[in-house]
Amino acid sequence: MSKIAVVEGDRNILTSVSMTLEAEGFDVQTYNDGQAALDAFNKQMPDMAVLDIKMPRMDGMDLLQRLRQKSAMPVIFLTSKEDEIDEVLGLRMGADDYVKKPFSQRLLVERIRALLRRQDALDGIEIAETEETKIMVRGELSMDPLRHAVSWRGNDVSLTVTEFLLLQALAQRPGFVKSRDQLMDVAYDEQVYVDDRTIDSHIKRLRKKMRTADSDFAAIETLYGIGYRYNEE
């Protein structure tokens, strides 16, 4: 049973996340501030940590910096800020990913499982291949769910979990159209309300990240008023 530490300044979020993770079979440790978490980690490290950025006594950035001095365990940031500066800084400091509030509990669980599988692979633990973990190749696109790795035309591309899930959903069935509602079901659960134009924003950022020096990323086609589809080259 994997031990997950949830360090969150908002007690309501702390409770809801811990209940969800416990229901998924994880051993969950909860902390309301960074200093309390650090004191506990100095005695015993969890297998993974989910950190809020803004917290009393010690914020998530300071906690991550101290953790990286002694541990490479997977870390996900929870952030409510619109500005991406803190997210980029967190990734540069060694966070594995970030999830923006409000977020889908299902999405967070899936990302946690993906990072734990990746860590197991790095530790040399053999993992059975399933439809969820095997590498998918579509033309010049390669997606490795186990390592949350994507390459396009030989170039590695860093995607957020939402971007990864959207691209994966489209690439699984090249040539087939998926509506915005279908793509929202992939990225969000029913408890999170988002405007359907949010998907457009995700696709726009996804295309931008997938561009190469010599060409744009045109594999995802927009069908105005209908949705999107992936065209295998």
Side-chain angles (χ1 to χ4, degrees):
M1 182 184 296
S2 297
K3 294 182 179 180
I4 311 296
V6 182
V7 191
E8 167 62 55
D10 186 317
R11 292 188 181 277
N12 291 329
I13 295 177
L14 186 65
T15 299
S16 65
V17 170
S18 64
M19 289 177 63
T20 297
L21 295 181
E22 286 172 352
E24 292 292 329
F26 294 109
D27 180 3
V28 184
Q29 305 163 349
T30 60
Y31 307 95
N32 194 233
D33 66 77
Q35 185 61 57
L38 181 62
D39 293 342
F41 295 168
N42 284 333
K43 298 176 182 177
Q44 183 178 14
M45 282 287 181
D47 297 307
M48 180 176 178
V50 179
L51 308 180
D52 187 16
I53 289 184
K54 297 183 65 177
M55 292 185 294
R57 298 177 68 193
M58 180 185 294
D59 65 24
M61 293 291 188
D62 286 342
L63 178 56
L64 176 63
Q65 188 175 30
R66 291 170 185 253
L67 286 177
R68 283 296 175 254
Q69 293 174 1
K70 63 179 74 175
S71 172
M73 73 172 177
V75 171
I76 293 179
F77 265 139
L78 300 179
T79 174
S80 58
K81 294 188 175 183
E82 294 297 327
D83 197 334
E84 295 185 357
I85 293 177
D86 279 345
E87 291 140 8
V88 172
L89 179 59
L91 293 174
R92 288 178 178 174
M93 289 173 60
D96 296 273
D97 200 7
Y98 65 88
V99 177
K100 283 191 175 184
K101 304 174 187 177
F103 55 86
S104 159
Q105 300 274 6
R106 178 172 61 84
L107 189 69
L108 179 60
V109 169
E110 185 163 348
R111 186 61 181 129
I112 287 173
R113 292 193 187 282
L115 287 175
L116 288 173
R117 288 196 301 266
R118 187 191 71 177
Q119 190 62 40
D120 285 345
L122 293 174
D123 292 341
I125 300 175
E126 186 174 346
I127 301 171
E129 183 179 275
T130 66
E131 287 299 317
E132 293 182 350
T133 62
K134 69 180 182 181
I135 296 174
M136 178 175 64
V137 178
R138 297 290 186 269
E140 296 187 85
L141 172 68
S142 175
M143 303 188 72
D144 184 350
L146 184 61
R147 294 172 176 78
H148 194 74
V150 177
S151 68
W152 170 250
R153 293 184 173 175
N155 298 304
D156 293 334
V157 184
S158 178
L159 301 181
T160 66
V161 61
T162 303
E163 292 161 352
F164 187 96
L165 290 174
L166 291 175
L167 180 58
Q168 185 181 46
L170 289 168
Q172 280 173 341
R173 301 192 70 187
F176 285 78
V177 179
K178 283 192 176 291
S179 67
R180 290 187 181 90
D181 287 341
Q182 288 174 319
L183 292 174
M184 280 193 291
D185 289 341
V186 170
Y188 301 94
D189 63 24
E190 295 179 353
Q191 297 179 346
V192 178
Y193 172 77
V194 293
D195 187 273
D196 59 3
R197 295 295 175 183
T198 300
I199 297 299
D200 297 342
S201 298
H202 284 307
I203 295 294
K204 183 178 179 180
R205 287 195 294 270
L206 178 57
R207 283 173 171 154
K208 183 177 180 180
K209 287 186 177 183
M210 298 291 290
R211 289 174 187 164
T212 60
D214 58 346
S215 66
D216 288 339
F217 181 70
I220 296 179
E221 179 185 1
T222 302
L223 288 86
Y224 294 99
I226 303 176
Y228 297 94
R229 70 180 168 203
Y230 178 86
N231 295 315
E232 187 172 354
E233 295 184 351

